[in-house]
Amino acid sequence: MNLLLLGEDEIDSTGAARLTGRRHTHAREVLRVQSGQTLRVGVRGGRLGSATVVEQTAEGLQLQVTLDHPPPPRARIDLVLAIPRPKALKRVIPAIASLGVDRVVLVNATRVEKSYFDSKVLAKAFLDELVDLGLEQAMDTVAPTIEVRERFKPFVEDELASWTDAKVRLVPHPTAAQALRPTTERVVLAIGPDGGWIPYEVDLLAANGFTPVTIGPRVLRVEVAVPALVGAVRG
Amino acid sequence: MNLLLLGEDEIDSTGAARLTGRRHTHAREVLRVQSGQTLRVGVRGGRLGSATVVEQTAEGLQLQVTLDHPPPPRARIDLVLAIPRPKALKRVIPAIASLGVDRVVLVNATRVEKSYFDSKVLAKAFLDELVDLGLEQAMDTVAPTIEVRERFKPFVEDELASWTDAKVRLVPHPTAAQALRPTTERVVLAIGPDGGWIPYEVDLLAANGFTPVTIGPRVLRVEVAVPALVGAVRG
């Protein structure tokens, strides 16, 4: 963890903060913090800076916080992601948060196994923790929004229409005719499940403004495909 | 596994092949193959095609193979990679193989923990298996070469000089002044450990033709950074 994330309500008007729970355990056992030491901190949704450890006890860490710079720029990318198997989801959510993606909609698709919906990884508290891992890694304070949609068609036809800021819509597919080209525009990527979107799903996405593009014929795991696509879009 | 990898010596002149071991177990238990079914196959270092299951017994799978297309194009990227912690190495090697990287040199660096050298993941047989996972995923037959170098300086000063085909040399770093730009040239990326290269290492790389570049201020895990950088280079 490269950053300690604090809630706005955890810091008082004098800059004093108290760290408990997982973050305290990590600071004590992994970072082995000592009184007087300086840590990088950030306020959820807000600015970053440093904190001096004033006191270190079994109950918690007393910090004095100074916030002096904004979080890193956003990737300006949104993802429509067919729900991956739970093991892959556990890896890709921290990656997504660390890359600065703004919106993630985890959607059902024909090739998404129904059992995935019962996975504990889809629980809000679990997803929040995975997001925090990514933010702490990338030294960011701004979490992506994550939503789950059990019905693909109404999501694509009704909800996506309201994403008026996202004009560049791409559905990456290994065998697409058109190569993905970097752009400075905001981009929505619709990333299919293992085995890909079925033709009906690609057609529905295409009818709603998504262009099939490719970064090459290689079939990549979702946790590899997402960073590779984000890298390629931002080029 | 999207592809069954066969050794050239496993296929006779009539196209008959016999699958045993891990690949047979996987074909039987995960893919649940049946006689008459068709599987995608590839010959290590060679062409791809399909195989019909002639017979399925407890001992093995008898296949009839037809090879009809070449492996996917290479990424034309080489990596000098500071040895990651074993857990990350286990994830990044399949990713690297699936992305079509040609050469990987796992090097020591100041911020590489000495214990990593004792990891079983660095054993050739273990690395070979991780590479196979990546090739099977991406439907490729061409493995990257992977080498381990315990001494950073002689590797950079002496060996890298012989990589005459790799003129574009980049050392990605979150705070570099220059943005990484896509190129069609072959590229060598020198990716540092958790915590980064130390200034001495960056200077040594710079003295040997590496330009510091950035894809943004976010500090990414190696298994996220590698696909993001490959995506950004190939843009």
Side-chain angles (χ1 to χ4, degrees):
Chain A
M1 142 155 90
N2 297 315
L3 180 77
L4 285 173
L5 278 172
L6 302 171
E8 208 179 343
D9 56 359
E10 289 181 298
I11 311 177
D12 73 14
S13 58
T14 69
R18 190 163 184 83
L19 212 66
T20 56
R22 179 177 73 89
R23 295 164 302 163
H24 172 230
T25 309
H26 183 88
R28 191 182 54 202
E29 292 175 9
V30 181
L31 309 178
R32 295 170 195 279
V33 299
Q34 310 274 336
S35 289
Q37 195 178 331
T38 301
L39 305 170
R40 278 177 295 212
V41 297
V43 175
R44 290 186 182 284
R47 291 164 69 77
L48 298 110
S50 59
T52 306
V53 179
V54 177
E55 201 190 358
Q56 215 304 67
T57 69
E59 288 73 42
L61 212 57
Q62 189 65 40
L63 303 171
Q64 186 60 38
V65 175
T66 309
L67 301 168
D68 55 13
H69 63 280
R74 312 301 303 159
R76 304 183 66 243
I77 288 176
D78 303 317
L79 295 180
V80 175
L81 190 64
I83 299 174
R85 68 190 193 293
K87 206 173 154 183
L89 185 61
K90 268 177 77 170
R91 289 181 191 166
V92 81
I93 295 293
I96 286 169
S98 72
L99 289 161
V101 168
D102 287 310
R103 279 186 288 207
V104 184
V105 180
L106 296 165
V107 289
N108 198 2
T110 304
R111 291 192 182 133
V112 168
E113 283 187 30
K114 292 296 158 273
S115 65
Y116 295 175
F117 279 95
D118 303 325
S119 164
K120 62 170 191 218
V121 185
L122 282 181
K124 185 173 182 324
F126 206 114
L127 290 172
D128 285 349
E129 223 169 282
L130 294 173
V131 165
D132 279 0
L133 290 175
L135 297 180
E136 290 164 357
Q137 169 66 38
M139 294 190 278
D140 193 2
T141 61
V142 182
T145 62
I146 304 185
E147 291 171 291
V148 181
R149 292 290 179 267
E150 290 204 36
R151 295 178 62 215
F152 180 75
K153 187 164 181 273
F155 167 70
V156 173
E157 290 189 334
D158 307 335
E159 277 194 68
L160 268 177
S162 72
W163 292 20
T164 48
D165 59 344
K167 288 178 188 72
V168 180
R169 298 173 176 212
L170 305 174
V171 49
H173 191 271
T175 60
Q178 191 176 319
L180 188 152
R181 287 283 157 247
T183 167
T184 55
E185 298 289 321
R186 171 174 286 279
V187 172
V188 188
L189 295 169
I191 299 176
D194 282 350
W197 302 110
I198 64 166
Y200 164 78
E201 291 160 346
V202 174
D203 292 347
L204 193 69
L205 287 165
N208 286 274
F210 284 80
T211 307
V213 291
T214 182
I215 55 167
R218 295 165 181 279
V219 178
L220 301 173
R221 278 190 183 277
V222 64
E223 60 266 40
V224 179
V226 167
L229 287 163
V230 169
V233 164
R234 290 291 87 111
Chain B
M1 145 156 89
N2 297 316
L3 180 78
L4 285 173
L5 277 173
L6 302 170
E8 208 179 346
D9 55 359
E10 289 181 298
I11 311 176
D12 73 15
S13 58
T14 69
R18 191 164 183 82
L19 210 65
T20 56
R22 178 177 73 89
R23 295 165 302 165
H24 172 231
T25 309
H26 184 88
R28 191 181 55 201
E29 293 174 9
V30 181
L31 308 178
R32 295 170 193 279
V33 300
Q34 310 273 338
S35 290
Q37 196 178 330
T38 301
L39 304 171
R40 278 176 296 210
V41 297
V43 175
R44 289 187 182 283
R47 291 164 70 77
L48 298 110
S50 59
T52 306
V53 178
V54 178
E55 201 191 359
Q56 209 316 55
T57 68
E59 287 76 40
L61 211 59
Q62 188 66 40
L63 302 172
Q64 185 60 38
V65 176
T66 310
L67 301 169
D68 55 14
H69 63 280
R74 311 300 304 159
R76 305 185 62 243
I77 288 175
D78 303 317
L79 295 180
V80 175
L81 190 64
I83 299 174
R85 66 190 195 293
K87 205 171 153 185
L89 186 60
K90 267 177 77 170
R91 290 181 191 166
V92 81
I93 295 294
I96 286 169
S98 71
L99 289 162
V101 167
D102 287 310
R103 278 186 289 207
V104 184
V105 180
L106 295 165
V107 289
N108 198 2
T110 304
R111 291 191 181 133
V112 167
E113 283 188 31
K114 292 299 157 273
S115 65
Y116 296 174
F117 279 95
D118 302 325
S119 163
K120 63 172 190 214
V121 184
L122 281 182
K124 186 174 181 324
F126 206 115
L127 290 172
D128 285 348
E129 223 171 281
L130 294 173
V131 165
D132 279 1
L133 290 175
L135 297 179
E136 291 163 358
Q137 169 65 39
M139 295 190 276
D140 192 3
T141 62
V142 182
T145 60
I146 304 185
E147 290 172 291
V148 181
R149 292 291 180 268
E150 289 204 37
R151 295 177 63 214
F152 179 75
K153 187 165 182 270
F155 167 71
V156 174
E157 290 190 334
D158 306 335
E159 278 195 67
L160 267 176
S162 72
W163 292 22
T164 49
D165 59 344
K167 287 178 189 72
V168 180
R169 299 173 176 212
L170 306 174
V171 50
H173 191 269
T175 60
Q178 192 177 318
L180 188 151
R181 286 285 156 245
T183 167
T184 56
E185 297 288 322
R186 171 174 286 279
V187 171
V188 189
L189 295 169
I191 299 175
D194 282 349
W197 302 110
I198 64 166
Y200 164 80
E201 290 161 346
V202 174
D203 291 347
L204 193 69
L205 287 164
N208 287 275
F210 284 79
T211 307
V213 292
T214 182
I215 55 168
R218 295 165 182 280
V219 177
L220 301 173
R221 278 191 183 277
V222 65
E223 59 267 40
V224 179
V226 167
L229 288 162
V230 169
V233 163
R234 290 291 87 112

